[in-house]
């Protein structure tokens, strides 16, 4: 296979922490595609072998061995994010963290204090924000806030992927945080106050039909969020205006390359547009460090809002 030219020279190397199916099938191919050097992987799998990649059992070993200017990508279970992030930012390293980055506002603030002190880049990898349709939806709602009557955000899957951290034992290992961070983050980018959201009902976490309903009212607009398990896969946003105008976009919270449906309708017509999106992980890894640093404060402000709201909603759902 032909080696790609590194189009992003912000980092001399990258290192993935935690090597499950997500890292193997999404992160690794994206890094290779944009030409970023994969210098190492930190994993508890003693028999793990990746051609041309150094395998470490401890983060400290990776820090000592890899180039100083290495980007660390945290793809471990969320309950490990805080300790791993703390080691890295205190060493002055840049980190990309898979969502949900944190489920404790105190842990997040501790990391941000260390990151500011050491000039580290801290980024939660919300890949869906790279999509054209998502930027378009945010722009439409912000421009027409007083005209929006209702926003429905539905993200439902038929089953929990096997052999993953999602065992509902903690908030970090729950579908509430794993899936809920998507609609909550979207609302912050629109400009809504998440303190208005409430968990109105949820299925028992011990059952096989885990589903969470979150609702809120923001001035002229009601919000309805559904996340969790369902017989059918649903991943869409529905925007209803005070007149008959309606917009539906699906799949919405999505990072893979492919088609998205954008449907606009009113009493008299229906218009369907197919939009092709590029791979969001490749777009994220292609962006320079300086570009990320320019928007770091804005993104971290929103991460704080989401983390605070998620912690509150998690308590309502019975997570400690």
């Amino acid at each position: 296979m032909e080696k790609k030219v590194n189009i992003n020279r912000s980092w001399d190397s990258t290192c993935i922490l935690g090597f499950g199916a997500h890292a193997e099938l999404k992160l690794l191919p994206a890094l290779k595609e944009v030409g970023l050097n994969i210098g190492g992987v930190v994993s508890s799998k003693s028999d793990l072998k990746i051609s041309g990649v150094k395998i470490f059992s401890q983060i400290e070993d990776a820090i000592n061995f890899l180039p100083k200017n290495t980007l660390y990508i945290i793809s471990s279970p969320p309950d490990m994010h805080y300790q791993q992030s703390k080691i890295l930012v205190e060493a002055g390293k840049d980190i990309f963290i898979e969502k949900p980055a944190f489920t404790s506002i105190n842990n997040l603030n501790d990391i941000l204090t260390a990151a500011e002190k050491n000039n580290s880049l801290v980024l939660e990898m919300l890949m869906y924000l790279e999509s054209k349709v998502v930027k378009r939806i945010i722009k439409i709602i912000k421009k027409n806030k007083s005209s929006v009557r209702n926003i429905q955000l539905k993200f439902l899957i038929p089953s929990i992927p096997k052999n993953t951290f999602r065992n509902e034992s903690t908030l970090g290992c729950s579908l509430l945080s794993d899936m809920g961070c998507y609609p909550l983050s979207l609302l912050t980018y629109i400009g809504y106050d998440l303190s208005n959201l409430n968990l109105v009902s949820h299925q028992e976490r011990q059952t096989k039909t885990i589903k969470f309903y979150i609702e809120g009212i923001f001035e002229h607009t009601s919000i309805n969020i559904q996340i969790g398990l369902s017989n059918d896969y649903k991943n869409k946003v529905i925007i209803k205006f005070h007149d008959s105008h309606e917009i539906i976009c699906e799949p919405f919270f999505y990072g893979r390359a492919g088609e998205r449906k954008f449907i606009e309708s009113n009493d008299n017509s229906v218009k369907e547009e197919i939009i092709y999106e590029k791979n969001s992980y490749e777009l994220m890894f292609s962006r320079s460090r300086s570009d990320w640093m320019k928007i770091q404060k804005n993104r971290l402000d929103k991460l704080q809002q989401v983390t605070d709201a998620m912690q509150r909603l998690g308590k309502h759902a019975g997570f400690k």
Side-chain angles (χ1 to χ4, degrees):
M1 181 177 178
E2 181 183 355
K3 186 174 182 180
K4 298 287 184 176
V5 175
N6 183 5
I7 61 175
N8 186 349
R9 300 189 180 279
S10 300
W11 299 281
D12 297 326
S13 177
T14 62
C15 180
I16 300 174
L17 278 64
F19 200 75
H22 178 79
E24 181 179 6
L25 300 177
K26 295 180 181 178
L27 300 182
L28 196 66
L31 289 167
K32 289 180 177 179
E33 184 63 28
V34 302
L36 277 170
N37 175 48
I38 305 162
V41 166
V42 178
S43 174
S44 60
K45 300 175 182 177
S46 58
D47 58 345
L48 179 63
K49 290 181 174 60
I50 305 171
S51 178
V53 178
K54 177 78 171 175
I55 309 300
F56 303 94
S57 61
Q58 301 293 329
I59 299 175
E60 292 84 355
D61 293 337
I63 292 173
N64 291 331
F65 181 87
L66 295 173
K68 183 178 180 180
N69 188 21
T70 293
L71 169 65
Y72 290 83
I73 302 161
I74 299 177
S75 183
S76 52
D79 286 346
M80 300 175 66
H81 288 179
Y82 171 64
Q83 291 297 336
Q84 292 179 336
S85 298
K86 190 172 180 65
I87 292 171
L88 291 166
V89 295
E90 287 185 344
K93 304 303 179 182
D94 292 338
I95 56 174
F96 280 17
I97 315 169
E98 274 295 348
K99 58 77 193 171
F102 303 97
T103 53
S104 161
I105 190 65
N106 288 337
N107 286 352
L108 169 58
N109 288 337
D110 189 32
I111 295 300
L112 299 189
T113 298
E116 183 176 7
K117 178 182 177 181
N118 295 298
N119 193 35
S120 293
L121 171 64
V122 175
L123 174 75
E124 182 181 43
M125 297 178 65
L126 288 170
M127 76 294 179
Y128 83 98
L129 290 172
E130 303 300 308
S131 301
K132 292 177 289 187
V133 291
V134 172
K135 295 173 183 176
R136 183 171 173 181
I137 287 292
I138 292 173
K139 185 176 180 180
I140 289 171
I141 298 177
K142 290 179 74 171
K143 184 178 179 180
N144 302 280
K145 263 189 179 180
S146 61
S147 302
V148 178
R149 175 171 61 86
N150 174 252
I151 300 174
Q152 298 177 31
L153 303 168
K154 300 181 180 182
F155 194 5
L156 301 163
I157 56 177
S159 62
I160 299 175
K162 294 181 179 180
N163 301 319
T164 69
F165 61 83
R166 302 168 185 87
N167 58 21
E168 300 297 311
S169 61
T170 65
L171 177 58
C173 295
S174 70
L175 291 183
L176 176 60
S177 65
D178 186 50
M179 303 177 77
C181 62
Y182 287 113
L184 295 190
S185 61
L186 176 69
L187 295 176
T188 65
Y189 278 88
I190 294 170
Y192 289 129
D193 180 0
L194 299 185
S195 65
N196 290 332
L197 291 177
N198 292 291
L199 185 69
V200 294
S201 67
H202 66 281
Q203 301 280 347
E204 288 296 327
R205 298 196 303 277
Q206 288 74 21
T207 70
K208 295 182 179 180
T209 52
I210 307 161
K211 189 180 291 185
F212 300 92
Y213 296 88
I214 301 169
E215 296 181 356
I217 297 178
F218 304 91
E219 298 181 358
H220 311 276
T221 307
S222 62
I223 306 291
N224 303 98
I225 300 172
Q226 295 180 32
I227 51 175
L229 299 180
S230 176
N231 291 332
D232 301 314
Y233 177 78
K234 296 179 182 178
N235 184 352
K236 65 172 68 176
V237 57
I238 304 172
I239 307 167
K240 297 183 177 182
F241 295 82
H242 286 290
D243 56 16
S244 62
H245 187 203
E246 181 174 295
I247 296 175
I248 301 175
C249 182
E250 62 180 326
F252 190 73
F253 302 113
Y254 204 62
R256 296 182 182 179
E259 295 180 347
R260 311 290 190 269
K261 288 184 181 179
F262 190 93
I263 304 169
E264 287 194 76
S265 64
N266 55 40
D267 288 338
N268 302 314
S269 65
V270 177
K271 178 184 177 183
E272 180 174 319
E273 183 180 355
I274 302 297
I275 301 171
Y276 184 83
E277 297 282 3
K278 296 181 180 179
N279 183 294
S280 292
Y281 288 100
E282 293 173 16
L283 293 174
M284 293 187 77
F285 292 140
S286 297
R287 193 175 300 174
S288 70
R289 183 184 192 276
S290 60
D291 284 344
W292 282 122
M293 289 299 286
K294 288 175 186 176
I295 59 174
Q296 167 151 286
K297 185 181 185 305
N298 181 51
R299 288 185 69 112
L300 292 180
D301 285 346
K302 289 172 171 50
L303 177 56
Q304 286 176 306
Q305 294 174 49
V306 171
T307 304
D308 188 53
M310 185 62 70
Q311 186 173 336
R312 176 175 58 83
L313 296 171
K315 288 180 180 178
H316 291 172
F319 292 104
K320 295 181 180 179

